[in-house]
PDB file of all heavy atoms in Angstrom:
ATOM      1  N   ASN A  35     -66.913-119.249  81.156  1.00  0.00           N
ATOM      2  CA  ASN A  35     -65.977-118.118  81.164  1.00  0.00           C
ATOM      3  C   ASN A  35     -65.422-117.857  79.762  1.00  0.00           C
ATOM      4  O   ASN A  35     -65.294-116.712  79.331  1.00  0.00           O
ATOM      5  CB  ASN A  35     -64.807-118.403  82.103  1.00  0.00           C
ATOM      6  CG  ASN A  35     -65.178-118.171  83.563  1.00  0.00           C
ATOM      7  OD1 ASN A  35     -66.209-117.583  83.850  1.00  0.00           O
ATOM      8  ND2 ASN A  35     -64.346-118.644  84.462  1.00  0.00           N
ATOM      9  N   ALA A  36     -65.087-118.955  79.066  1.00  0.00           N
ATOM     10  CA  ALA A  36     -64.537-118.819  77.718  1.00  0.00           C
ATOM     11  C   ALA A  36     -65.568-118.157  76.810  1.00  0.00           C
ATOM     12  O   ALA A  36     -65.257-117.253  76.029  1.00  0.00           O
ATOM     13  CB  ALA A  36     -64.154-120.188  77.179  1.00  0.00           C
ATOM     14  N   ALA A  39     -65.842-114.527  77.475  1.00  0.00           N
ATOM     15  CA  ALA A  39     -64.688-113.806  76.928  1.00  0.00           C
ATOM     16  C   ALA A  39     -64.865-113.610  75.425  1.00  0.00           C
ATOM     17  O   ALA A  39     -64.530-112.558  74.871  1.00  0.00           O
ATOM     18  CB  ALA A  39     -63.411-114.578  77.222  1.00  0.00           C
ATOM     19  N   ASP A  77     -59.806-120.595  74.289  1.00  0.00           N
ATOM     20  CA  ASP A  77     -60.775-119.746  73.587  1.00  0.00           C
ATOM     21  C   ASP A  77     -60.035-118.648  72.865  1.00  0.00           C
ATOM     22  O   ASP A  77     -58.896-118.328  73.201  1.00  0.00           O
ATOM     23  CB  ASP A  77     -61.783-119.160  74.586  1.00  0.00           C
ATOM     24  CG  ASP A  77     -61.156-118.181  75.550  1.00  0.00           C
ATOM     25  OD1 ASP A  77     -60.752-117.084  75.116  1.00  0.00           O
ATOM     26  OD2 ASP A  77     -61.065-118.508  76.759  1.00  0.00           O
ATOM     27  N   MET A  82     -56.801-111.734  78.860  1.00  0.00           N
ATOM     28  CA  MET A  82     -56.573-110.929  80.072  1.00  0.00           C
ATOM     29  C   MET A  82     -55.155-110.385  80.059  1.00  0.00           C
ATOM     30  O   MET A  82     -54.234-111.051  79.578  1.00  0.00           O
ATOM     31  CB  MET A  82     -56.752-111.801  81.323  1.00  0.00           C
ATOM     32  CG  MET A  82     -58.192-112.136  81.650  1.00  0.00           C
ATOM     33  SD  MET A  82     -58.340-113.223  83.100  1.00  0.00           S
ATOM     34  CE  MET A  82     -58.187-114.833  82.349  1.00  0.00           C
ATOM     35  N   ASN A  90     -58.895-110.770  88.536  1.00  0.00           N
ATOM     36  CA  ASN A  90     -59.931-111.779  88.336  1.00  0.00           C
ATOM     37  C   ASN A  90     -59.624-113.125  88.959  1.00  0.00           C
ATOM     38  O   ASN A  90     -60.509-113.820  89.434  1.00  0.00           O
ATOM     39  CB  ASN A  90     -60.182-112.003  86.844  1.00  0.00           C
ATOM     40  CG  ASN A  90     -60.660-110.753  86.169  1.00  0.00           C
ATOM     41  OD1 ASN A  90     -61.261-109.898  86.809  1.00  0.00           O
ATOM     42  ND2 ASN A  90     -60.384-110.614  84.886  1.00  0.00           N
ATOM     43  N   LEU A  91     -58.362-113.500  88.930  1.00  0.00           N
ATOM     44  CA  LEU A  91     -58.030-114.831  89.422  1.00  0.00           C
ATOM     45  C   LEU A  91     -57.314-114.798  90.771  1.00  0.00           C
ATOM     46  O   LEU A  91     -57.045-115.820  91.362  1.00  0.00           O
ATOM     47  CB  LEU A  91     -57.195-115.595  88.387  1.00  0.00           C
ATOM     48  CG  LEU A  91     -57.835-115.711  86.994  1.00  0.00           C
ATOM     49  CD1 LEU A  91     -56.998-116.603  86.096  1.00  0.00           C
ATOM     50  CD2 LEU A  91     -59.257-116.256  87.054  1.00  0.00           C
ATOM     51  N   ALA A  95     -64.162-113.929  91.867  1.00  0.00           N
ATOM     52  CA  ALA A  95     -64.809-112.870  91.102  1.00  0.00           C
ATOM     53  C   ALA A  95     -65.760-112.135  92.023  1.00  0.00           C
ATOM     54  O   ALA A  95     -66.510-112.743  92.760  1.00  0.00           O
ATOM     55  CB  ALA A  95     -65.561-113.483  89.936  1.00  0.00           C
ATOM     56  N   VAL A 122     -69.190-121.072  91.490  1.00  0.00           N
ATOM     57  CA  VAL A 122     -68.007-120.394  92.000  1.00  0.00           C
ATOM     58  C   VAL A 122     -66.956-120.225  90.925  1.00  0.00           C
ATOM     59  O   VAL A 122     -65.840-119.834  91.184  1.00  0.00           O
ATOM     60  CB  VAL A 122     -67.401-121.118  93.210  1.00  0.00           C
ATOM     61  CG1 VAL A 122     -68.173-120.773  94.451  1.00  0.00           C
ATOM     62  CG2 VAL A 122     -67.355-122.582  92.968  1.00  0.00           C
ATOM     63  N   GLY A 123     -67.351-120.549  89.690  1.00  0.00           N
ATOM     64  CA  GLY A 123     -66.530-120.199  88.550  1.00  0.00           C
ATOM     65  C   GLY A 123     -65.189-120.880  88.513  1.00  0.00           C
ATOM     66  O   GLY A 123     -65.056-122.066  88.846  1.00  0.00           O
ATOM     67  N   PHE A 124     -64.233-120.092  88.106  1.00  0.00           N
ATOM     68  CA  PHE A 124     -62.894-120.572  87.838  1.00  0.00           C
ATOM     69  C   PHE A 124     -62.352-121.514  88.914  1.00  0.00           C
ATOM     70  O   PHE A 124     -61.752-122.540  88.621  1.00  0.00           O
ATOM     71  CB  PHE A 124     -61.988-119.353  87.686  1.00  0.00           C
ATOM     72  CG  PHE A 124     -60.565-119.694  87.440  1.00  0.00           C
ATOM     73  CD1 PHE A 124     -60.138-120.107  86.189  1.00  0.00           C
ATOM     74  CD2 PHE A 124     -59.643-119.619  88.467  1.00  0.00           C
ATOM     75  CE1 PHE A 124     -58.818-120.441  85.977  1.00  0.00           C
ATOM     76  CE2 PHE A 124     -58.319-119.952  88.257  1.00  0.00           C
ATOM     77  CZ  PHE A 124     -57.900-120.364  87.013  1.00  0.00           C
ATOM     78  N   THR A 169     -57.354-117.185  75.486  1.00  0.00           N
ATOM     79  CA  THR A 169     -56.923-117.781  76.759  1.00  0.00           C
ATOM     80  C   THR A 169     -56.899-119.305  76.684  1.00  0.00           C
ATOM     81  O   THR A 169     -57.823-119.920  76.144  1.00  0.00           O
ATOM     82  CB  THR A 169     -57.906-117.357  77.878  1.00  0.00           C
ATOM     83  OG1 THR A 169     -57.957-115.933  77.916  1.00  0.00           O
ATOM     84  CG2 THR A 169     -57.464-117.877  79.233  1.00  0.00           C
TER      85      THR A 169
HETATM   86  P1  ADP B   1     -67.300-115.206  87.134  1.00  0.00           P
HETATM   87  O1  ADP B   1     -67.219-115.878  85.807  1.00  0.00           O
HETATM   88  O2  ADP B   1     -68.482-115.600  87.926  1.00  0.00           O
HETATM   89  O3  ADP B   1     -67.085-113.738  87.066  1.00  0.00           O
HETATM   90  P2  ADP B   1     -64.878-116.664  87.650  1.00  0.00           P
HETATM   91  O4  ADP B   1     -64.137-116.961  88.918  1.00  0.00           O
HETATM   92  O5  ADP B   1     -65.300-117.835  86.857  1.00  0.00           O
HETATM   93  O6  ADP B   1     -66.090-115.762  88.045  1.00  0.00           O
HETATM   94  O7  ADP B   1     -63.966-115.775  86.748  1.00  0.00           O
HETATM   95  C1  ADP B   1     -63.421-114.597  87.207  1.00  0.00           C
HETATM   96  C2  ADP B   1     -63.116-113.661  86.086  1.00  0.00           C
HETATM   97  O8  ADP B   1     -61.944-114.066  85.379  1.00  0.00           O
HETATM   98  C3  ADP B   1     -64.173-113.559  85.022  1.00  0.00           C
HETATM   99  O9  ADP B   1     -65.199-112.675  85.399  1.00  0.00           O
HETATM  100  C4  ADP B   1     -63.363-113.030  83.845  1.00  0.00           C
HETATM  101  O10 ADP B   1     -63.207-111.624  83.941  1.00  0.00           O
HETATM  102  C5  ADP B   1     -62.023-113.680  84.051  1.00  0.00           C
HETATM  103  N1  ADP B   1     -61.888-114.872  83.211  1.00  0.00           N
HETATM  104  C6  ADP B   1     -62.050-116.146  83.575  1.00  0.00           C
HETATM  105  N2  ADP B   1     -61.865-116.972  82.531  1.00  0.00           N
HETATM  106  C7  ADP B   1     -61.573-116.195  81.473  1.00  0.00           C
HETATM  107  C8  ADP B   1     -61.256-116.424  80.079  1.00  0.00           C
HETATM  108  N3  ADP B   1     -61.249-117.660  79.562  1.00  0.00           N
HETATM  109  N4  ADP B   1     -61.007-115.351  79.300  1.00  0.00           N
HETATM  110  C9  ADP B   1     -61.042-114.096  79.800  1.00  0.00           C
HETATM  111  N5  ADP B   1     -61.325-113.810  81.080  1.00  0.00           N
HETATM  112  C10 ADP B   1     -61.570-114.847  81.908  1.00  0.00           C
END
Side-chain angles (χ1 to χ4, degrees):
N35 281 347
D77 67 69
M82 286 178 273
N90 299 333
L91 304 186
V122 280
F124 179 77
T169 304

